[in-house]
Amino acid sequence: MVWRWRYCYKDVLPFTAMVSMECANVGLNTLFKAATLKGMSYHVFVVYAYALAALVLLPAPFFSYRSIVLPPLTFPILCKIGLLGLIGSSSQIMGYTGISYSSPTLASAISNLTPAFTFILAIIFRMEKLDWEKTSSQAKVMGTIISIIGAFVVTLYKGPPIVIAFTPIQPLSSPETNLASGGLHSANPNWVIGGVFLTAEYILVPLWYIVQTQIMKEYPAELTVVFFYNLCVSFIAAIVGLATEKNASAWRIKPDIALASVVCSGLFGSCLNNTVHTWALRLKGPVFVAMFKPLSIAIAVAMGVTFLGDTLHLGSLIGATIISIGFYTVMWGKEKEEMAEDCGSVTGVDSASSRKVPLLQSYKNEQV
């Protein structure tokens, strides 16, 4: 019974939570793109979304201190959280800038750089072990490469259509018509600039994973850390927003899709998503969390076909299959590595206990 609960908590629950968060991220990016087409500023969006998340998590530090015994929240830990906020705010601003210049699909495609960068940084900071003689290390490396290849197949190879969605012909003169029909591309998207900003974002994301993992080792309270992180991001984004958005009307949120985007991103993105990512980083490490990024392009394609009436092409199907193969290869390597560590720890405990028994027995014999 105990091992079943441990399996569910350490394997099934993180897997389910991360897949759910990737689905939510694709949906939130699409909603944000729709809001920017209505004229919303991404600087204002980041400020309001993270401020709302910080407000929701305001009671978290008080409950954390009451529920578990935590080390003191020292000044070095607060400085690391501040550094995390600087990295996070920079990546968010760059990411939303890139989406406003391009599209959510391009953001999902470029996010495939995350596992490679995270794996390299985790090895540099000695958070991941790489032994070429072990099959688990070989599986992690090969799976990461395969996932990235599959994601770029989805992006670069279109192929013939497999499932053709019927959509009525509508005039393309108005942005409202394009938005209603599911077309979330800008009138004149600058994909080069958008790609540069998105690449910069997904270089900073692995660094965010590494710093957050280190913070969780020193201060294992997800809600408290995420609260201070959201507070730092909203504060930094407010400074940047006030310097860039000098028009007062840009800070007024109308009760339309802009408000819905801010509320959904604040609750499900900045609050829930960051908390789940922080929990998964503490439990499974940065490489496990980063490996779910290539799934986002497959999720974006699936959601586009299901909800937006997009056409399913052969390239999307082949790429999603390759991504799945690479993803499960990495998961197999991680599982085998964890099983080896568990067996080693159990063996160490057994050997230690076997050494202690004769000492206790000899002690009793001496007392007799």
Side-chain angles (χ1 to χ4, degrees):
M1 186 65 183
V2 176
W3 69 269
R4 286 183 179 179
W5 164 250
R6 182 179 179 276
Y7 173 74
C8 291
Y9 179 74
K10 292 198 68 177
D11 294 304
V12 177
L13 190 58
F15 177 85
T16 306
M18 289 305 302
V19 172
S20 302
M21 289 302 101
E22 287 303 320
C23 293
N25 282 337
V26 174
L28 291 174
N29 285 342
T30 305
L31 190 62
F32 166 77
K33 181 64 179 182
T36 56
L37 290 179
K38 291 286 187 177
M40 183 178 182
S41 169
Y42 46 85
H43 293 291
V44 176
F45 174 83
V46 173
V47 174
Y48 285 154
Y50 276 87
L52 177 62
L55 184 63
V56 172
L57 292 174
L58 183 60
F62 305 101
F63 288 108
S64 298
Y65 279 111
R66 291 183 179 181
S67 58
I68 57 176
V69 178
L70 293 172
L73 191 61
T74 60
F75 182 73
I77 295 177
L78 289 175
C79 289
K80 290 181 180 179
I81 296 176
L83 174 63
L84 191 71
L86 180 62
I87 297 172
S89 59
S90 301
S91 66
Q92 288 294 305
I93 291 173
M94 290 182 181
Y96 287 127
T97 305
I99 292 175
S100 66
Y101 277 112
S102 56
S103 75
T105 304
L106 183 63
S108 298
I110 297 182
S111 68
N112 305 305
L113 298 171
T114 303
F117 289 139
T118 305
F119 194 72
I120 294 171
L121 287 176
I123 293 174
I124 293 174
F125 289 97
R126 297 181 180 180
M127 292 182 176
E128 283 288 330
K129 298 177 182 178
L130 185 61
D131 189 355
W132 287 105
E133 297 180 356
K134 294 183 179 180
T135 55
S136 59
S137 296
Q138 296 173 4
K140 288 191 295 183
V141 174
M142 291 302 298
T144 302
I145 296 173
I146 291 172
S147 297
I148 295 172
I149 292 174
F152 281 106
V153 167
V154 176
T155 308
L156 301 176
Y157 174 64
K158 192 173 184 179
I162 299 176
V163 178
I164 301 176
F166 174 77
T167 54
I169 299 175
Q170 295 178 352
L172 301 177
S173 58
S174 64
E176 290 81 4
T177 305
N178 290 336
L179 183 60
S181 63
L184 294 178
H185 298 278
S186 301
N188 295 305
N190 196 327
W191 287 77
V192 176
I193 297 178
V196 170
F197 277 108
L198 290 170
T199 302
E201 177 198 9
Y202 288 109
I203 291 175
L204 291 174
V205 166
L207 189 60
W208 188 92
Y209 288 159
I210 298 298
V211 175
Q212 182 72 300
T213 304
Q214 186 62 37
I215 292 174
M216 293 310 300
K217 289 180 179 179
E218 300 180 15
Y219 195 81
E222 290 87 353
L223 293 177
T224 303
V225 173
V226 173
F227 163 72
F228 284 109
Y229 164 73
N230 288 334
L231 197 63
C232 289
V233 172
S234 61
F235 180 72
I236 296 172
I239 296 175
V240 176
L242 290 173
T244 55
E245 294 292 341
K246 298 181 180 180
N247 187 6
S249 61
W251 294 89
R252 299 191 189 99
I253 303 297
K254 297 179 181 179
D256 53 9
I257 195 170
L259 180 61
S261 178
V262 169
V263 172
C264 290
S265 295
L267 295 179
F268 299 105
S270 305
C271 183
L272 181 61
N273 182 54
N274 287 337
T275 303
V276 170
H277 273 73
T278 303
W279 169 73
L281 285 170
R282 179 177 65 85
L283 194 66
K284 304 292 287 185
V287 174
F288 176 88
V289 174
M291 274 311 302
F292 286 86
K293 283 297 178 184
L295 287 179
S296 62
I297 185 64
I299 294 170
V301 171
M303 291 180 68
V305 172
T306 305
F307 299 107
L308 300 179
D310 294 342
T311 300
L312 178 62
H313 292 271
L314 180 62
S316 300
L317 185 61
I318 295 175
T321 304
I322 296 174
I323 289 172
S324 301
I325 294 172
F327 177 78
Y328 285 111
T329 302
V330 175
M331 292 299 104
W332 179 83
K334 291 286 291 182
E335 182 66 23
K336 189 171 183 179
E337 193 175 71
E338 290 178 0
M339 289 176 63
E341 291 176 356
D342 292 341
C343 291
S345 61
V346 170
T347 304
V349 171
D350 291 340
S351 61
S353 61
S354 62
R355 288 195 300 269
K356 290 179 181 178
V357 170
L359 291 175
L360 292 174
Q361 290 178 352
S362 62
Y363 176 77
K364 291 181 180 179
N365 292 333
E366 289 177 1
Q367 293 294 325
V368 173

